[in-house]
Amino acid sequence: MPDALPRRPWLVLAICCMSLLIVSLDNTILNVALPSIQRDLDTSVSGLQWTVDAYTLVLASLLMLSGSTADRLGRRRVFQVGLVVFTAASLLCSLAPGLGWLVVARILQAVGGSMLNPVAMSIITNTFTDARQRARAIGAWSGVVGISMAAGPIVGGALVESVGWRSIFWLNVPIGLAALFLTRRYVPESRAARARRADPVGQLLIAVLLAALTYAIIESPHLGWASPLVVGCAAAALCALLGLLWYEPRRTDPLIDLRFFRSAPFSGAVAIAVVVFAALGGFLFVSSLYLQDVRRYDALHAGLFMLPMAVMAMLAAPLSGRLVASRGPRTPLLLAGAALCASAVLQALTYSERLPVAVLVVAYLLFGAGFGLVNAPITHTAVSGMPREQAGVAAAVASTSRQIGQTFGVAVIGALMAGAARTDTAAFIDAGRTAWWIVAGCGAAVLIMGTLTTGRWGRATARRTARQFAAEETKEPLNA
C-alpha cells in the first residue's frame, strides 16, 4: 500500500524511466563494443557470450527476489539501493584489467540492475491505478527502450572509436546519480499490504536452473554435447526445474507463484517475452559481429546501421501502448510477430557478405517495428488482473522472462556462431543464415501464442484465475 500518494505521477514515471534508460543503454552499447573488447582483452566468442550472459543470467536469477523484497521492504528503498549498486559497478566495469574482472563487474551490475526495472514497474503500477492511464504509461516506458536502442549504438560507436570501449560504462554514472537524487525527492514510498516471506530454496533452484542450462549451451561447442560436464549441467538444470515445480506450490509465499500461470494471457506474455528477447539477443549479437567483422565497418558506422531498427522501435512503442489501451493486446502482438518473422526470413534468404544495404535497412526496420510493438502488451498483460500487492512479483516475472530469453538467445546463437570459423567468412554466413531462421521461428511463435492466448478462451482463463486467486487467498495456508 502506498505511504503517500504521488503528487506528480508523470514525473514519477519519468524518474522510473531513467533506470530503464541506463540498463537498456548499457545493453545496446555493449553489443557495439564487443569486437573491440575481444581485440583488447584477447578473448574468444564464448568470452564475449559470457560478457553479455553473466549480466543477464544473474539479473534473471534475482529479479523475482528483488520484486518481492521491494514489495516487502519498500519499493523506493530497494530502487535507490539498486541505483547505487548499478552505478558503482559501472565504474568497476570501466576499470576491468581483463575478461575475468569484467565478467565479475558485470555480475555486480546485474545485482543492482535486478533492483531497478521490476521495482520501477511496480512503482508505476501503483502510481497509475486507472487501466487506460497505466497502458499509456507502460507505452511510454516501453518507448524508452526504443530511445536507448536508437542512442546506444551511435553513442557507443562514437565512444568506442574516439575514447575506447571502457568509456561506454561511464554514461551510467551521471544518469544513475541524477535518478537517485530525484527518487529521494519525488518518488513516494510504497509496499505491499502483507509482507511476503523470503524463499531462499526457490531462489537457489532458479539460479541453478539458469546457470547450469546457460553453461551447457555456451560451452557445448567446445566441450561437445556428450561431455560429462555438459551432460551434468543439463541434468542439474532439469532437476532444478522439477524441484521448482514440486517445491513452490507448497510454500505460503513462493518466489514464483505458479497460480499466475493458470491465466493463459499471463502465461502467453511470459512465453512471448522469452522468445522475443531471445530474438533480440541473437539479433544484436550476430549483427554486431557481421557489420564489424564481415563488412569491416568501424563501431560508429555499425551503430549507424542499427539506427533504423532502433528508431522504428522507438516510434512503435508508444503506438503499441495506445493500441493496448484502445483495442487490447492482440493487435500489437500479431503485428509484432509478423514483423519479426518477416525481418528474419528476409535476412535468412538474402544473407551474404555483400548483402545490399537497402535489404539490410528494410530488415532492420521490420525488426525494430516488431520489437517496439511487443513490449507494451507483454508488460500490460503481466501486471493487469493481478493483485496490486503482488505487482512487484508479477512485473518481476515478466522482466525475468525477458532476461531469460536474452540469455538463451545469446547462448544458443553465440554457440552456433562459435562453431563457425571466425576467419572463414563463408562459414560465418552459413551459420548466420541458420541464426536468422531461428529468429524467424521466434517471430512465428509470437504470432501463434498471441493468437491463442488473447482470444475468448484466453480471457475466460484470466477471469477464472482471478476468481480462483481471490478464493484461495481467503483459505488458511497449508504451511509456512
Side-chain angles (χ1 to χ4, degrees):
M1 58 186 295
D3 293 345
L5 293 176
R7 291 174 295 176
R8 301 178 179 89
W10 294 101
L11 177 59
V12 172
L13 172 65
I15 295 168
C16 290
C17 285
M18 293 176 74
S19 72
L20 179 62
L21 179 64
I22 58 176
V23 172
S24 300
L25 268 177
D26 186 81
N27 188 40
T28 54
I29 288 178
L30 178 65
N31 276 277
V32 173
L34 286 177
S36 296
I37 293 173
Q38 183 182 29
R39 290 190 295 269
D40 190 32
L41 300 184
D42 191 24
T43 184
S44 63
V45 174
S46 64
L48 296 181
Q49 289 174 270
W50 281 118
T51 303
V52 178
D53 275 353
Y55 176 86
T56 55
L57 178 62
V58 175
L59 191 66
S61 299
L62 296 180
L63 281 171
M64 283 179 283
L65 174 64
S66 296
S68 60
T69 301
D71 285 344
R72 181 172 66 253
L73 300 182
R75 298 177 180 113
R76 184 179 70 170
R77 179 183 301 174
V78 173
F79 187 66
Q80 288 175 306
V81 173
L83 286 169
V84 171
V85 174
F86 188 88
T87 303
S90 297
L91 277 177
L92 293 178
C93 287
S94 70
L95 300 173
L99 179 67
W101 286 97
L102 179 60
V103 170
V104 171
R106 290 280 291 165
I107 289 173
L108 185 58
Q109 254 193 326
V111 174
S114 71
M115 306 178 198
L116 296 181
N117 288 356
V119 180
M121 179 51 61
S122 181
I123 292 172
I124 292 170
T125 302
N126 282 270
T127 298
F128 294 89
T129 56
D130 177 75
R132 289 182 177 272
Q133 280 198 337
R134 183 189 301 145
R136 294 190 182 96
I138 291 174
W141 162 272
S142 301
V144 175
V145 177
I147 293 173
S148 68
M149 292 177 72
I154 298 174
V155 174
L159 287 173
V160 170
E161 288 301 311
S162 60
V163 185
W165 65 265
R166 298 177 187 278
S167 62
I168 65 175
F169 296 104
W170 299 344
L171 286 177
N172 299 332
V173 177
I175 300 175
L177 292 176
L180 180 63
F181 170 78
L182 293 171
T183 299
R184 291 178 64 86
R185 185 172 180 85
Y186 294 109
V187 176
E189 184 61 281
S190 64
R191 54 179 58 84
R194 184 181 70 84
R196 295 170 57 83
R197 293 183 178 92
D199 182 6
V201 175
Q203 181 62 61
L204 177 62
L205 289 171
I206 287 177
V208 170
L209 168 62
L210 297 180
L213 187 56
T214 302
Y215 185 90
I217 294 172
I218 289 179
E219 298 300 332
S220 60
H222 310 288
L223 302 176
W225 282 106
S227 163
L229 183 57
V230 171
V231 172
C233 286
L238 178 61
C239 291
L241 175 60
L242 295 175
L244 276 171
L245 296 176
W246 177 84
Y247 178 77
E248 291 297 283
R250 287 164 171 75
R251 280 192 57 84
T252 301
D253 292 323
L255 187 65
I256 305 177
D257 196 330
L258 299 181
R259 292 176 296 176
F260 289 170
F261 292 92
R262 298 172 185 171
S263 165
F266 181 86
S267 299
V270 168
I272 289 170
V274 171
V275 297
V276 165
F277 276 77
L280 176 66
F283 175 92
L284 294 174
F285 194 87
V286 173
S287 295
S288 181
L289 295 179
Y290 171 74
L291 291 171
Q292 296 184 60
D293 289 344
V294 175
R295 300 191 72 124
R296 303 299 179 186
Y297 294 120
D298 58 33
L300 177 58
H301 285 86
L304 288 171
F305 261 95
M306 292 189 186
L307 184 60
M309 180 271 291
V311 170
M312 282 303 297
M314 181 174 61
L315 296 176
L319 171 62
S320 179
R322 289 193 291 271
L323 285 173
V324 172
S326 61
R327 305 186 63 176
R330 168 173 273 199
T331 298
L333 282 178
L334 297 186
L335 291 174
L340 292 171
C341 195
S343 170
V345 169
L346 178 60
Q347 292 195 76
L349 293 176
T350 61
Y351 212 51
S352 69
E353 183 180 1
R354 297 178 179 83
L355 180 66
V357 170
V359 176
L360 197 63
V361 169
V362 170
Y364 284 10
L365 286 170
L366 286 169
F367 191 94
F371 182 76
L373 286 167
V374 83
N375 268 300
I378 288 174
T379 305
H380 181 267
T381 304
V383 300
S384 297
M386 298 299 169
R388 286 181 59 197
E389 62 270 15
Q390 294 197 31
V393 178
V397 172
S399 296
T400 299
S401 303
R402 290 177 169 93
Q403 298 305 323
I404 290 173
Q406 190 158 355
T407 300
F408 290 164
V410 172
V412 171
I413 291 181
L416 176 67
M417 305 310 295
R422 290 290 307 282
T423 56
D424 186 345
T425 300
F428 183 97
I429 294 300
D430 287 341
R433 290 195 188 99
T434 304
W436 289 123
W437 283 118
I438 293 173
V439 175
C442 292
V446 174
L447 272 173
I448 295 170
M449 290 186 289
T451 301
L452 292 177
T453 62
T454 59
R456 183 177 302 175
W457 168 76
R459 291 191 296 270
T461 66
R463 289 192 296 267
R464 184 166 60 250
T465 300
R467 290 194 299 267
Q468 292 174 347
F469 206 107
E472 290 182 19
E473 286 297 303
T474 64
K475 294 179 182 179
E476 195 69 25
L478 295 176
N479 58 55

